[in-house]
Amino acid sequence: MKAAVLTTPGKVVDRPLHIAELPKAEAGAGQVLLRVLACGVCRTDLHIVEGELAPRRESLIPGHQIVGEVVGGATPELPIGARVGVSWIGGTDGECWYCRHNFENLCDAPTFTGYSVNGGYAEFAAARADFVFPLPEGLDALHAAPLLCAGIIGFRSLRVAGVEPGERVGLFGFGASAHLAIEVLRSWGCEVYVSTRGASHQKLAESLGAQWVGSEVVRPPVELDRAITFAPSGTVVVAALASLRKGGVVAINAIHLDRIPEFDYDRLLWGERQIRSVTNMTRADAREFLTMAAQIDLRPKVTTFPLEQANEALAAIKGDAVDGAAVIIP
Ligand SMILES: [Zn+2]
Ligand SMILES: [Zn+2]
């Protein structure tokens, strides 16, 4: 099978992925074999390929937003031809304290698709059968792919923030995840206030129904019930906190923050305001979000790349040159 393979991480301009002909992937015990129909390109892939995330394997096929068709290892629930999605969490140990207490997103020994095991920048991929998600009819492969990481995590962020229908919600930053989250919020009848840099992101937020759009440093004109931050910036977290009513919650959707600047506890956090982080996702998040995405006809903007141009796809993500999400079609 054809695949984009990483052996030595490096800057994407130096084309660290090479296109190779490999033996076809095989379904191991408890796995299904998928013919890959589409694979979304996530910013985390960029961090893996450029080596900001330490390598876990000598040779790796990246990609963790896989839409595939079952061609092997079929089960009664996942027959041959079933269309499924695979996300970043490719498995958990099922045994640790977190797995046993309904926090599988915090598992001590998770498997990461396209990082600790091979992913979807290939014609075929194997995945744990209990960690694939059957896709609702209404979602086509191309538009479902970007939902599988950015979409699910954005959805989880809304839950971590405790969003209730009709509330006033701030989105700080407006990239891949936020532009999907806003559509979920709108379907819940929420008023959405978007603080983001850049005219194009601001314009997109407006076109998707934001109540108010401003730059990252301008405070929304009303007190917010909830806020979600997407930028890897502690300054933005403090700005979000400063926009909350008493009892409000900031959910931080970022794996890494530079630092959180000193802030005034009496004025910003007292009054039972909360700061929470968002980590990974559970299978329940994925199933509920995908069902909802089909119901509200959530269709992310996509730009496609053939497998041979996997390096170019990553370079486009890095340079913010993609309108919406990048998707590889093998
Ligand atoms: Zn676990
Ligand atoms: Zn991702």
Side-chain angles (χ1 to χ4, degrees):
M1 67 175 188
K2 214 188 305 166
V5 182
L6 179 73
T7 46
T8 311
K11 295 288 167 202
V12 282
V13 288
D14 298 325
R15 306 178 59 80
L17 291 173
H18 54 273
I19 309 303
E21 195 64 40
L22 301 180
K24 186 170 160 185
E26 283 175 13
Q31 290 187 322
V32 285
L33 178 66
L34 305 176
R35 185 167 70 83
V36 179
L37 304 173
C39 186
V41 180
C42 176
R43 197 159 271 275
T44 303
D45 299 340
L46 182 65
H47 297 321
I48 291 167
V49 168
E50 295 204 320
E52 283 161 314
L53 287 173
R56 297 278 191 96
R57 298 166 58 90
E58 278 187 9
S59 159
L60 170 73
I61 301 170
H64 61 265
Q65 301 188 91
I66 309 171
V67 176
E69 178 187 22
V70 175
V71 293
T75 65
E77 298 79 43
L78 298 167
I80 295 290
R83 279 185 335 131
V84 299
V86 186
S87 189
W88 174 239
I89 300 288
T92 56
D93 60 9
E95 291 171 358
C96 73
W97 188 92
Y98 301 98
C99 284
R100 287 184 286 109
H101 291 81
N102 225 1
F103 293 109
E104 67 179 6
N105 59 307
L106 303 179
C107 177
D108 282 330
T111 298
F112 295 121
T113 310
Y115 183 42
S116 60
V117 296
N118 281 334
Y121 289 13
E123 290 177 306
F124 295 90
R128 255 177 72 168
D130 53 348
F131 277 81
V132 304
F133 312 108
L135 292 176
E137 280 284 313
L139 293 177
D140 66 88
L142 180 60
H143 294 93
L147 304 181
L148 291 165
C149 182
I152 299 168
I153 302 256
F155 181 69
R156 183 171 180 85
S157 306
L158 304 183
R159 291 189 144 168
V160 169
V163 174
E164 299 282 347
E167 286 191 325
R168 292 171 165 170
V169 181
L171 301 177
F172 289 74
F174 203 71
S177 216
H179 101 278
L180 297 170
I182 191 173
E183 300 212 44
V184 175
L185 288 167
R186 297 288 297 136
S187 79
W188 288 343
C190 293
E191 283 179 12
V192 187
Y193 296 80
V194 176
S195 295
T196 187
R197 246 188 308 207
S200 71
H201 285 175
Q202 292 182 355
K203 204 170 258 175
L204 182 60
E206 249 161 38
S207 74
L208 292 173
Q211 182 88 10
W212 172 91
V213 179
S215 79
E216 277 174 314
V217 286
V218 185
R219 195 179 307 176
V222 296
E223 285 193 327
L224 303 174
D225 300 302
R226 322 279 160 189
I228 295 103
T229 70
F230 296 91
S233 155
T235 304
V236 171
V237 172
V238 174
L241 196 55
S243 69
L244 289 183
R245 66 157 163 79
K246 285 180 277 190
V249 179
V250 175
I252 305 172
N253 183 342
I255 293 176
H256 163 80
L257 279 192
D258 45 7
R259 59 183 284 278
I260 299 188
E262 209 173 279
F263 62 87
D264 183 350
Y265 167 82
D266 303 14
R267 195 168 53 84
L268 295 188
L269 197 58
W270 192 73
E272 300 197 343
R273 294 175 180 90
Q274 298 178 54
I275 303 178
R276 302 191 60 184
S277 66
V278 181
T279 303
N280 299 329
M281 42 155 281
T282 66
R283 282 173 283 181
D285 294 326
R287 288 192 203 100
E288 282 164 48
F289 170 67
L290 292 169
T291 302
M292 172 161 201
Q295 278 164 1
I296 66 173
D297 198 19
L298 187 52
R299 292 173 72 83
K301 278 189 159 200
V302 293
T303 304
T304 61
F305 292 84
L307 184 59
E308 291 74 11
Q309 286 181 19
N311 288 299
E312 284 77 3
L314 288 167
I317 293 280
K318 189 176 184 179
D320 248 331
V322 178
D323 210 9
V327 177
I328 289 175
I329 306 289

